[in-house]
Amino acid sequence: MGLLAINCGKFVSYYGTKELSPQNLVSGPRFSVKTFASRKSPNKSRREGRPSKSFTLQTKETLPGDSNVLAETNPSKDDINNGKSVDSAPQDSISLPSRSNVLQACTITSGLIAALGLIIRQVSHVGSMEGLPILDCSMEVSFDFEIWHLELITGLVVLISSCRYILLKTWPDFSESSETANKQVLSSLQPYDYLVVAFLPGMSEELLFRGALLPVFGFDWKSVLIVSTLFGVLHLGNGRKYSFAVWATFVGIVYGYATIVSSSVIVPMASHALNNLVGGLLWRYTSKPLSEI
């Protein structure tokens, strides 16, 4: 789904999801720590008639409700004789955050991002009224909506969705990053949940970046580039590579241009939310089922 990354992806990791890949389970990094079952030396153990054996502790970050935090494994003679590694864990298993965790993360972070945007807008308004050399965000970017904005929104949805589709087919690195983000956020959701994770992030992100930060930096092309670059950089991490940041920066430039043309934050909000929804639904109905991964 792409631009859900900045809030849902990062905050779902708070609930135990770090990266969704064959090498790194979504439920968190797994590691092994070898230790001895007893501090007694092997010689002392033999004198007491007990064999000295070692065991492996495996720990992983778990989702709320998980009870198996520590697992003890004793290497069998067959494994040792056959040269099998007792430290190896299944590399192709996939663990997903629960539906409730995803929805909770998106709701909370969208609310925080929206609140920050509103605070910046209010501070800029008060500062401008007091004579400070800053633009009044509420005057530069309003919540007004006109009929011709529908044409602009439609054009933005077609442009962004088409560019995303082309990149997914031609840029493997971007395709891999998008797949990681989509699996992390969308895999456990029901179809109607997509409305929540598409519209809440789309509206809150645009309120902050295009409705607050853009006019604060000057409401011109220089400001568009600065805010778009920040928008792109914040999309790194959780399995998303630089290709994903480049894509987010491009999208930020497009939404910034639309904001300047319309002087309304409703245009980028609606465009962003609809693009999220289109991207999410396309991924759901074209990706492989989890049972085939």
Side-chain angles (χ1 to χ4, degrees), residues 126-148:
V126 173
S128 178
M129 295 294 293
E130 294 294 328
L132 298 178
I134 58 175
L135 294 178
D136 186 348
C137 295
S138 60
M139 294 296 293
E140 299 293 334
V141 183
S142 68
F143 288 94
D144 295 338
F145 182 78
E146 301 179 20
I147 297 299
W148 70 271

Side-chain angles (χ1 to χ4, degrees), residues 93-154:
S93 59
I94 294 179
S95 177
L96 298 174
S98 68
R99 171 176 175 264
S100 61
N101 279 350
V102 173
L103 295 178
Q104 182 181 7
C106 285
T107 301
I108 292 175
T109 57
S110 294
L112 293 175
I113 290 173
L116 179 59
L118 290 174
I119 291 173
I120 293 176
R121 286 175 64 88
Q122 184 62 30
V123 170
S124 71
H125 174 71
V126 173
S128 178
M129 295 294 293
E130 294 294 328
L132 298 178
I134 58 175
L135 294 178
D136 186 348
C137 295
S138 60
M139 294 296 293
E140 299 293 334
V141 183
S142 68
F143 288 94
D144 295 338
F145 182 78
E146 301 179 20
I147 297 299
W148 70 271
H149 290 168
L150 289 174
E151 300 178 1
L152 182 57
I153 292 171
T154 302

Side-chain angles (χ1 to χ4, degrees), residues 193-212:
D193 294 331
Y194 283 42
L195 292 174
V196 176
V197 298
F199 278 82
L200 288 185
M203 296 172 65
S204 62
E205 289 177 15
E206 294 310 314
L207 178 59
L208 173 60
F209 287 94
R210 258 61 67 174

